[in-house]
Amino acid sequence: MTEVLLQATGLRLAFGGVKAADNIDLGVMKGEFLAIIGPNGAGKTTFINMSTGYLRPNAGEITYEGRRITGMSPRAIVKLGIARSFQLPQLFIEHTVEQNIALAVASRDGIWSPLAPLMRPRYRDEARDLLARFGLSAIADTRADALNEGARKLADIAMAVALKPRLLLMDEPTSGVAASEKMAIVETLVNVLRDAKVTAVFVEHDMDVVERFADRVAVWSQGRIAALGPPDQVLNDPAVLRDVIGIERHA
Amino acid sequence: MRRYEPILALVLAAAMITAAIMAPWLRFVLTIALAKGIAVVGILLLLRAGQVSFGHALYVAFGAYVVAFLAPRLNDAVLLLAAAAVGAGILGLLIGLFVTRYRQIFFGMLNLAMSMVFYSLLEKLYHITHGSDGIRVEVMPVAGQALDRVAYEWSIFGIALALAFTVGLLVRLYLSSPMGEALAGIKTRETRLEFMGVPARGVLLSAYVMSAMLGGIGGAIIAMTSRHVTPLLAYWTSSGELVFIAILGGAGGVLGPFLGAAAFELVRIYAAASFADAWQLILGSVLLLVILFAPGGLWGMAARLLGKGGTR
C-alpha cells in the first residue's frame, strides 16, 4: 500500500471569501480506504468535486497515476478509472434499478450502438451479478424513485462500481441511512470494493464507520487538512475530538 | 404493452388502408396524418429527453421546400425524400450544435425563434420562394415510374405507410438501446451521465438530428401530397400543431404520434365540415379532455385498456 494513486498538491479554491480548499496536499495510496471527516462546510465535497472534474481549483494540481487531471472534464476523468457516488443519490428515477446498473455497465462501451437493446445478455448479466453482490437482487425491477434511502445509496454506489473504477470517491455513503441498517450496508460495500480491488475515498460523519472500515483518516477543517493518519491515532487526537467529533456529536 | 405495439400497428395500418379504399378522399387526409406522425416521432424523441421543441415545423417546412425546389431537377419522389431527409439532418446538425446547449424553456423557445427566422426568410425572399404564394409541386415519377394522378397518390400513401412502419421500428429499437436509454437519462439525471463518461449533449444532439430528419421526411411527404408548399408550414402554429399531436397521441410509445396525427386530422376535417367557425374550439376541447382524463394520451388510454401501464 505504498504506491500513490491520486496526489493533490497545493490545491486552492475559494467561493467568494470562503476558502473551500486552502493549500490541500494529500496522497491517496493504492488499495487503501481513506475516510474524510470534518464539519459541514469544511471542503470535503469540494475535494471530491475537484478530483472528479466537477470543479476546477484556483491553484494547485491533482495527478492520477502520475498523470495531471486538473481541469479535465468528468467524462475524461471517468475514462481514466476514477468514479464517484453522490451525497444525494443520482439515479435515473424513471428506470428500474437493473436498468440503472445496466446503463452504467453499457457506458463503458460508449453507448453509441443505437439499435441493439440495453438489456442484452452481456449487460443484463453483469448488472444482475453486481446487484447480487450488493444484495439488491430483490429490488432489481423496482423503479429507482420507489426505493428507500439505504437502497438508493447502495444503487448509486453500485452504478459507480459498474464503471470498473480503480479509484472510487464516495460522498457520505451512509447519510440518511437508518442507523439499524448502516453497518450492514457499509459491510456489504466494503466487501464488494475489496473484492474488486478498488481504492476508496469516502466522506463520512459516523465515527463508528470510520473507525471500523478506514485504513487512514483525513480530518478537514476550514479547507485545510487538520490531521491525517490511522483511525486509532487520529480519532484519539484531543484537537480532533474537540473540534470535529465534538461538533459532530452535538450537530 | 410493448409487445402489443406491432399488432396494434398492423391493425392501425389495415384500418387506414381500408378507409382509404372505401373513402378515396380520406387517402389524402391519412397520408398527411402519416407524414405528421413521422414528424411527431421526432418530437417524441426530444420529449424522451424532457425537452419540447416549439419550432420543429422548421424541419417540416425545410423538407417540403427541398421537394419544391429540387423537383424540377431531381424529378423522383424517392430521391426527393432522401434529399429532404439528408438536408433536414444537416440543418438539424447546424442548429442542434447551438440549441442543445440549452434545456427546458430555453431549448423550446430557441427552436421557435429558429423556425420563425426561416418563416420570415420564406416570406420575404419572394424572388426565390414566391413568398406567401408558395410553390406548386407537380405529380412526379415514383422510383422511376411515371404514374397518373390516382396511382401517384396511392404510391405516396404507400410510401408514407412504409416509412411510418420503418421509422416506428427503428425508433422503437433506438429507445431501448443504451443510446436511447441515455437519452431518457437526460430528463432525470443528466449530471450522472457525465460522471458515467457519457456525453449528454452528444446524445441529445444525435436525437435532435434524427428528429430533424424525421421532420424533413414528414415535410417532403406533405409537399408531395398537398402539391403546394407555403411559408405557413414553418409558422409557429404549425410547430404547436406537432406538439399538440404529440400530447394527444401520447409519448409512451412510437404508435402514439400516429394515433395522435390520425385523430387530429380526422377531428379537424369533421369539425371543420360540421362547425366551420368552431373547429379550433373543438380541437382545443379534445386536447383539454385528453390532458384532464388521459394524460398519457391516446396511447396511454390504449395501454390502460389492454391492462398495462406500459408508458414511461
Side-chain angles (χ1 to χ4, degrees), chain A residues 52 75 78-79 84 90-95 104 107 111-114 116-118 120 156 159-160 163, chain B residues 170 173-174 176-179 181-182 184-185 187-189 192-199 202-203 312:
Chain A
T52 52
R75 287 204 311 271
V78 167
K79 290 185 191 310
R84 71 169 294 180
Q90 298 288 302
L91 303 172
F92 301 115
I93 55 174
E94 293 185 355
H95 288 79
S107 72
I111 65 106
W112 293 113
S113 55
L118 169 66
R120 68 190 82 164
D156 187 62
M159 284 181 78
L163 302 173
Chain B
L170 291 177
L173 291 172
Y174 167 76
S176 299
S177 74
M179 209 169 157
E181 297 291 2
K187 181 179 172 186
T188 52
R189 288 285 182 260
R192 183 75 196 220
L193 285 176
E194 293 289 327
F195 282 99
M196 283 163 46
V198 177
V203 172
R312 185 179 67 211

Side-chain angles (χ1 to χ4, degrees), chain B residues 64-85:
Chain B
Y65 272 87
V66 164
V67 170
F69 280 126
L70 294 186
R73 296 172 200 80
L74 201 68
N75 196 24
D76 190 287
V78 176
L79 294 178
L80 285 170
L81 269 167

Side-chain angles (χ1 to χ4, degrees), chain A residues 8 15 32 36 53 61 65 99-100 106 118 120 178 203 224 229 236:
Chain A
F15 300 107
E32 78 169 333
I36 297 178
E61 71 165 18
E65 293 182 328
Q99 286 172 328
N100 269 274
L118 169 66
R120 68 190 82 164
V203 172
R224 290 173 165 271
N236 291 314

